[in-house]
């Protein structure tokens, strides 16, 4: 058997998250079904599991295929079976583990105050936010190693809530005629809804609805003020570092 590394992008609006679902509507379901159609029976491992509605620009996968498959041949036959909502960007033969070998993961979140067309609604979150300075002040609270037990939703495979955030910042840009705030958060790994709860806390601070003290209290697992993650549609798994 040969191990392959695949880099994919997918439209999370068409799936119920990355992980397998009972109704077969997970990204993993689609990929394993496409491989099965080619006679390849392998569990597909991802660098990170995204929630329902969350997108990926550069998700990384690892899986095994019989030795008669090479990267070029497999790309040719697999890519059309994943389209249009999953795009196979790159495929190479590589002996590695997509999840355990990953060193860092980067997420981006797109938020605008006014959405001018419904056709972008699945891809840019729409909601109010305060000043960029306030957003960045709040984001700085999360850098470093923390026990994120109060910044995650129940579920998920991991039992260790400690994660390291290497960098977290926000900036403004225009995307298809919309002024957006882009949040970028880079960490070693993330818990379920971890990124969306962090961003929700920062947005609420920027709107003067919570204080830095309340954010710190939640980071230190004293009291949870933010319990509902920000909407999923603006979030993208942007890059995985090895």
């Amino acid at each position: 058997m040969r191990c392959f590394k695949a880099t994919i992008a997918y439209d999370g609006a068409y799936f119920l998250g990355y992980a397998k679902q009972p109704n077969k509507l997970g990204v993993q379901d689609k990929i394993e079904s496409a491989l099965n159609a080619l006679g390849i029976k392998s569990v597909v491992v991802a660098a990170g599991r995204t929630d329902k509605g969350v997108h990926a620009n550069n998700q990384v996968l690892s899986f095994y295929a019989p030795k008669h498959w090479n990267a070029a041949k497999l790309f040719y036959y697999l890519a059309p079976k994943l389209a249009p909502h999953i795009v196979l960007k790159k495929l190479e033969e590589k002996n590695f583990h997509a999840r355990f070998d990953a060193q860092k993961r980067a997420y981006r979140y797109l938020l605008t105050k006014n959405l001018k067309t419904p056709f972008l609604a699945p891809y840019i979150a729409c909601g109010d936010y305060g000043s960029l300075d306030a957003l960045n002040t709040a984001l700085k609270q999360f850098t470093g190693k923390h026990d994120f037990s109060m910044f995650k939703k129940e579920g998920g495979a991991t039992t260790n809530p400690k994660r390291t955030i290497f960098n977290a910042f926000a900036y403004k840009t225009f995307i298809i005629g919309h002024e957006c705030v882009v949040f970028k958060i880079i960490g070693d790994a993330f818990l379920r809804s971890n990124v969306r709860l962090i961003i929700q806390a920062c947005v609420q601070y920027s709107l003067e609805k919570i204080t830095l003290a309340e954010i710190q209290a939640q980071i230190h697992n004293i009291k949870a003020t933010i319990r509902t993650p920000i909407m999923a549609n603006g979030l993208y798994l942007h890059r995985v570092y090895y």
Side-chain angles (χ1 to χ4, degrees):
M1 299 289 280
R2 290 178 173 175
C3 185
F4 288 90
K5 175 185 178 182
T7 303
I8 63 170
Y10 54 80
D11 185 341
Y14 288 87
F15 301 97
L16 297 180
Y18 173 80
K20 285 184 174 182
Q21 302 292 324
N23 55 11
K24 306 296 184 183
L25 291 178
V27 175
Q28 185 179 359
D29 291 306
K30 176 67 175 180
I31 297 167
E32 291 185 0
S33 175
L35 289 170
N36 285 339
L38 297 174
I40 300 170
K41 301 189 182 299
S42 174
V43 173
V44 177
V45 176
R49 293 184 175 184
T50 53
D51 292 337
K52 177 183 176 181
V54 177
H55 314 289
N57 295 326
N58 294 286
Q59 171 74 278
V60 179
L61 314 171
S62 57
F63 61 88
Y64 288 87
K67 288 186 177 180
H68 65 267
W69 288 101
N70 60 48
K73 179 181 177 183
L74 185 51
F75 187 100
Y76 178 82
Y77 286 100
L78 181 60
K81 294 186 179 299
L82 299 177
H85 305 305
I86 301 174
V87 172
L88 181 59
K89 301 177 72 173
K90 186 177 181 181
L91 186 65
E92 60 185 303
E93 187 178 341
K94 186 171 185 178
N95 189 21
F96 89 122
H97 193 283
R99 179 184 172 195
F100 296 142
D101 290 346
Q103 301 299 307
K104 295 186 292 184
R105 295 147 173 97
Y107 279 86
R108 285 187 178 177
Y109 191 86
L110 311 182
L111 179 62
T112 187
K113 290 185 179 182
N114 297 293
L115 202 58
K116 301 173 185 177
T117 170
F119 304 110
L120 290 176
Y123 311 109
I124 301 176
C126 184
D128 198 14
Y129 54 84
S131 73
L132 196 60
D133 285 344
L135 290 171
N136 279 304
T137 296
L139 284 165
K140 286 179 182 178
Q141 310 305 307
F142 293 94
T143 57
K145 188 173 184 178
H146 302 287
D147 179 337
F148 282 109
S149 293
M150 285 191 176
F151 277 96
K152 71 178 184 70
K153 289 179 69 176
E154 294 301 319
T158 185
T159 57
N160 179 14
K162 293 183 179 180
R163 295 290 185 269
T164 300
I165 305 296
F166 300 111
N167 201 1
F169 60 92
Y171 61 92
K172 286 187 177 181
T173 190
F174 279 86
I175 300 174
I176 317 178
H178 293 74
E179 183 180 58
C180 296
V181 165
V182 179
F183 298 80
K184 187 171 183 180
I185 301 179
I186 304 173
D188 56 353
F190 294 94
L191 304 167
R192 186 180 181 192
S193 298
N194 196 182
V195 175
R196 291 197 290 134
L197 282 163
I198 289 172
I199 293 173
Q200 179 75 293
C202 295
V203 168
Q204 295 306 306
Y205 170 74
S206 76
L207 294 171
E208 300 183 353
K209 293 184 178 180
I210 64 171
T211 65
L212 283 183
E214 288 175 307
I215 290 177
Q216 285 289 345
Q218 188 159 340
I219 290 173
H220 294 297
N221 297 308
I222 297 169
K223 181 183 178 181
T225 302
I226 299 299
R227 299 178 184 273
T228 303
I230 200 165
M231 61 204 85
N233 54 306
L235 187 59
Y236 295 76
L237 173 56
H238 180 66
R239 185 176 175 185
V240 183
Y241 298 82
Y242 290 93

